[in-house]
Amino acid sequence: MADQVQLIEVVNILGSLARSAHLKRVLSALDPDPALNFWRVMHGNLLDITVLDWCKLFGSDHEEHQKTHWKNVVTNQEAFRAGLLQDLGVDMKAWETYWLEMKNYRDQHVAHRDFAKSDVTHFPKLDLALQSSAVYYRYVISELRKLGVTRYPDDLRAYGEAFADQARTIAGKALEATLAIKERVY
């Protein structure tokens, strides 16, 4: 079983993932094709950090340092995987396809930049990343509650939605404040 320090590390990564993914969605909804490189960099960095965080939790399980990977935290892996697939509404083949898409994006475009494959033609969708993270969070928060740790939100989905609501207001004002600025650095 994972200890409290390990569980808290997982919760912190899950929180970062939720905030990054929701902020990416908010910015994309408000301005899907921004004129300023500032906003383009924000879009790209938010996607990249979301993928990196997700891979810390669901990526390669053979990496020694990945103490946050679900297989190094969850006690009953078979039950967790079955519940995960059921909650996501996907079968194992669809999950493996998504997993490979996220891992390949991380490997080729974020963590280990492969210049031979530098033209990204397909960016990962974040729906399953958010959903799978909420499932993992539910497990981890349950374990933390057993240890008496109560300072974290009960539900990652509700937390993410509240963050997105606030981010929508802030991002709207920030985008509005930059409308008159013309790009000078290409």
Side-chain angles (χ1 to χ4, degrees):
M1 180 176 159
D3 64 17
Q4 182 172 325
V5 171
Q6 187 177 5
L7 294 168
I8 288 172
E9 187 172 342
V10 172
V11 165
N12 287 329
I13 292 169
L14 287 161
S16 171
L17 185 153
R19 288 185 297 274
S20 296
H22 281 288
L23 183 52
K24 166 73 172 126
R25 285 180 161 185
V26 164
L27 288 175
S28 294
L30 291 172
D31 189 0
D33 189 22
L36 295 175
N37 284 328
F38 175 89
W39 292 114
R40 290 180 182 274
V41 169
M42 293 293 290
H43 282 247
N45 287 350
L46 289 165
L47 176 63
D48 292 353
I49 197 65
T50 300
V51 172
L52 281 172
D53 280 346
W54 189 86
C55 285
K56 291 174 188 175
L57 306 166
F58 293 98
S60 299
D61 55 355
H62 60 80
E63 296 173 14
E64 259 178 55
H65 64 281
Q66 288 301 7
K67 65 182 181 175
T68 58
H69 190 281
W70 73 270
K71 289 182 180 175
N72 296 323
V73 173
V74 173
T75 306
N76 185 339
Q77 293 178 11
E78 289 179 25
F80 179 83
R81 179 180 283 129
L84 175 70
L85 296 175
Q86 182 178 359
D87 281 6
L88 299 179
V90 299
D91 60 16
M92 192 62 184
K93 184 173 176 9
W95 173 254
E96 288 171 349
T97 299
Y98 185 74
W99 178 88
L100 192 58
E101 177 184 331
M102 293 287 277
K103 186 176 173 312
N104 285 344
Y105 181 84
R106 180 204 65 178
D107 291 350
Q108 296 168 5
H109 304 291
V110 181
H112 312 290
R113 186 71 170 158
D114 184 347
F115 287 100
K117 299 176 181 175
S118 63
D119 290 337
V120 181
T121 58
H122 179 74
F123 294 98
K125 302 284 186 228
L126 301 180
D127 298 337
L128 287 181
L130 281 167
Q131 292 171 342
S132 58
S133 295
V135 172
Y136 191 14
Y137 186 91
R138 189 171 57 233
Y139 175 87
V140 173
I141 210 69
S142 170
E143 294 300 307
L144 282 172
R145 296 298 189 257
K146 292 175 190 173
L147 298 172
V149 178
T150 59
R151 69 178 179 262
Y152 300 99
D154 291 328
D155 182 84
L156 189 64
R157 284 186 177 118
Y159 173 81
E161 289 168 13
F163 179 83
D165 284 343
Q166 178 175 295
R168 198 170 292 106
T169 301
I170 295 167
K173 290 185 182 297
L175 286 164
E176 183 180 324
T178 61
L179 281 175
I181 300 173
K182 301 297 179 208
E183 184 61 59
R184 298 185 316 255
V185 184
Y186 295 95

